[in-house]
Amino acid sequence: IINEVLYDPPAGAEGDANSDGTRDPNQDEFIEMVNISAAPLDISGWKFYDAESLEIDQPSHLVPQGTIIEPGKAFVVFGGGSATCSFGGSIVQVASGGQLNLNNSGDFVTVTDADDNIIQEFDVEPLSNNPDESYTRNPDLTGEFEQHASNTPLLYSPGTRIDGTSF
């Protein structure tokens, strides 16, 4: 399940979501998914698209072979940079297409499996008020999407729960 999306990183140093030491509006974007099943989930070959990359059938990220999310654990894909933190022990990757390219309005995220079946979608438009923070489910995994700072002083929490603790 998509649990958190950052399509509008905050300005300045606090926008460095991938913790590589540089705030970049494209590289610090991220999508967090969590395996809510009781079994390991092989996401090898899954594809992440924004509206533009879906239209031309060129994924923003193609998940490499051998990527397995353990039950209750998270997977995070950043738009770029070099994610250097542990992010709660999550699997962390950087967009294989060079960036996620998430627009602050009029865009959506589509995740497909290796056979191109849609697994999950996230529509940016209803949440497009340029919040300089992520949208996350509250409560984690089951709730509706809300601005992250509505729940905690944190502006985002890639790979971890709303409060920053590990899944």
Side-chain angles (χ1 to χ4, degrees), residues 66-108:
T67 304
I68 299 171
I69 308 173
E70 294 299 322
K73 297 298 182 180
F75 168 85
V76 180
V77 60
F78 283 100
S82 56
T84 57
C85 290
S86 70
F87 298 101
S90 300
I91 296 170
V92 178
Q93 297 178 357
V94 174
S96 60
Q99 64 180 343
L100 293 174
N101 197 34
L102 303 177
N103 295 317
N104 293 358
S105 64
D107 206 349
F108 60 91

Side-chain angles (χ1 to χ4, degrees), residues 132-146:
D132 296 328
E133 63 185 284
S134 73
Y135 277 92
T136 187
R137 291 183 185 270
N138 184 28
D140 281 301
L141 311 179
T142 60
E144 297 296 319
F145 282 100
E146 297 179 352

Side-chain angles (χ1 to χ4, degrees), residues 16-79:
D16 182 21
N18 64 12
S19 297
D20 67 357
T22 303
R23 188 269 184 196
D24 183 281
N26 295 309
Q27 294 181 0
D28 291 304
E29 293 178 334
F30 70 82
I31 302 164
E32 173 192 86
M33 295 190 76
V34 178
N35 179 1
I36 59 173
S37 75
L41 180 63
D42 185 350
I43 62 168
S44 302
W46 283 26
K47 301 167 195 150
F48 288 73
Y49 297 92
D50 77 316
E52 183 180 329
S53 65
L54 183 63
E55 187 175 305
I56 60 172
D57 194 27
Q58 292 193 333
S60 301
H61 183 60
L62 175 62
V63 178
Q65 291 299 310
T67 304
I68 299 171
I69 308 173
E70 294 299 322
K73 297 298 182 180
F75 168 85
V76 180
V77 60
F78 283 100

